[in-house]
């Protein structure tokens, strides 16, 4: 069942703004996951290869305290245990950056999740590099940092950290929505977005000259998914090749 279009009488040659007439709100989670951090020191980090961690001053400045393996070498490696709940996390590696810093390859439970490149043309403190990780099993996990590379412009392999923060975030998944449209006035059309479960999650009123790209941006703005993929009723994708097409033409309105 379609919702009624908004009653509007637009001026000639004036585009109708995209407006929301109905939006489904997902139920709130019963429990809020906590943000936590692990401070770098000799008791929280176990060195697997290289010298022990110790306090250092980023760029030699006494007000820029961090922890590092000193002296640094290619092949330095360490692990850190932590407890996490099920769900997505942004992991913030807070430390320092400058022209002498290297690249940290990060693994959790043996799976590579990304790299932290602390090289910078100038001293930066504190610096913050973020990686995404999805915790599938709640409980104890092991993060491993390996220093195996550096930027071609870097002079050394320093990795300087203050702490590692784990911030709960929504899962990064692509929400596939089927899109239908009907014309409801000379200039306006109503667009209904339905998820794979058949739930109408969003109903918009758009100008018939609205592009697919503009529709995509509006849908992503009003849904909680990390990415949204729009499909037609025949399951064909409204992809980049149709991004500049008008809704008037795509839906034969």
């Amino acid at each position: 069942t379609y919702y009624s279009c908004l009653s509007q009488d637009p001026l000639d040659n004036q585009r109708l703004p995209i407006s929301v007439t109905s939006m489904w709100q997902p139920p709130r989670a019963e429990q809020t996951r906590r943000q936590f951090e692990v401070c770098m020191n000799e008791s929280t980090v176990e060195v697997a290869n290289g010298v022990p961690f110790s306090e250092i001053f980023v760029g030699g400045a006494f007000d820029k305290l961090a922890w590092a393996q000193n002296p640094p070498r290619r092949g330095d490696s360490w692990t850190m245990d932590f407890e996490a709940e099920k769900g997505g996390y942004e992991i913030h590696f807070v430390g320092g950056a400058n022209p002498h810093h290297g690249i940290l390859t990060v693994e959790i439970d043996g799976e590579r999740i990304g790299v932290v490149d602390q090289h910078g043309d100038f001293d930066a403190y504190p610096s913050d590099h973020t990686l995404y990780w999805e915790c599938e099993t709640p409980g104890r996990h092991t993060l491993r940092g390996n220093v195996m590379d550096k930027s071609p412009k870097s002079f050394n392999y320093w990795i300087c950290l203050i702490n590692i923060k784990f911030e709960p975030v929504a899962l990064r998944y692509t929400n596939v929505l089927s899109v239908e449209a009907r014309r409801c006035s000379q200039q306006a059309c109503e667009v209904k977005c339905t998820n794979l479960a058949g739930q109408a999650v969003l109903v918009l009123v758009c100008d018939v000259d609205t592009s697919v790209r503009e529709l995509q941006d509006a849908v992503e703005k009003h849904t909680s998914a990390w990415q949204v993929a729009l499909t037609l009723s025949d399951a064909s994708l409204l992809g980049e090749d149709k991004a500049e097409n008008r809704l008037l033409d795509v839906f034969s309105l």
Side-chain angles (χ1 to χ4, degrees), residues 15 209-216 243-247:
R15 288 274 301 274
D209 286 330
T210 297
S211 69
V212 170
R213 187 186 305 279
E214 291 169 327
L215 174 64
Q216 176 93 25
E244 303 306 325
N245 292 9
R246 302 179 303 167
L247 301 186

Side-chain angles (χ1 to χ4, degrees), residues 73-95:
R73 291 185 178 88
R74 185 177 187 274
D76 283 348
S77 181
W78 48 268
T79 62
M80 168 188 292
D81 292 334
F82 64 95
E83 299 276 341
E85 300 168 272
K86 186 174 182 178
Y89 286 89
E90 283 187 350
I91 307 178
H92 297 263
F93 293 79
V94 182

Side-chain angles (χ1 to χ4, degrees), residues 87-207:
Y89 286 89
E90 283 187 350
I91 307 178
H92 297 263
F93 293 79
V94 182
N98 69 28
H100 296 264
H101 287 210
I103 297 174
L104 183 71
T105 299
V106 180
E107 302 174 358
I108 293 182
D109 299 335
E111 179 182 353
R112 184 181 185 273
I113 65 168
V115 298
V116 172
D117 186 354
Q118 283 196 337
H119 174 266
D121 293 333
F122 306 97
D123 285 354
Y125 181 94
S127 64
D128 187 349
H129 296 79
T130 305
L131 297 177
Y132 173 80
W133 171 63
E134 182 178 335
C135 176
E136 297 181 349
T137 305
R140 193 173 186 84
H141 299 273
T142 300
L143 183 150
R144 184 182 184 97
N146 301 304
V147 186
M148 301 304 298
D149 203 0
K150 66 180 181 67
S151 166
K153 298 186 295 182
S154 181
F155 298 109
N156 212 328
Y157 290 91
W158 284 98
I159 294 293
C160 300
L161 293 167
I162 304 168
N163 56 52
I164 299 176
K165 296 181 179 179
F166 294 77
E167 179 183 359
V169 295
L171 291 176
R172 292 187 177 180
Y173 66 95
T174 299
N175 194 7
V176 179
L177 299 177
S178 177
V179 182
E180 302 174 55
R182 71 178 181 94
R183 196 160 190 160
C184 52
S185 74
Q186 181 178 356
Q187 194 174 355
C189 64
E190 186 177 75
V191 179
K192 182 170 73 170
C193 303
T194 305
N195 64 19
L196 296 178
Q199 172 75 47
V201 298
L202 186 66
V203 180
L204 301 169
V205 172
C206 309
D207 194 292

Side-chain angles (χ1 to χ4, degrees), residues 10-22:
L11 300 175
D12 291 341
N13 301 320
Q14 181 176 332
R15 288 274 301 274
L16 280 173
I18 298 175
S19 58
V20 177
T21 63
S22 177

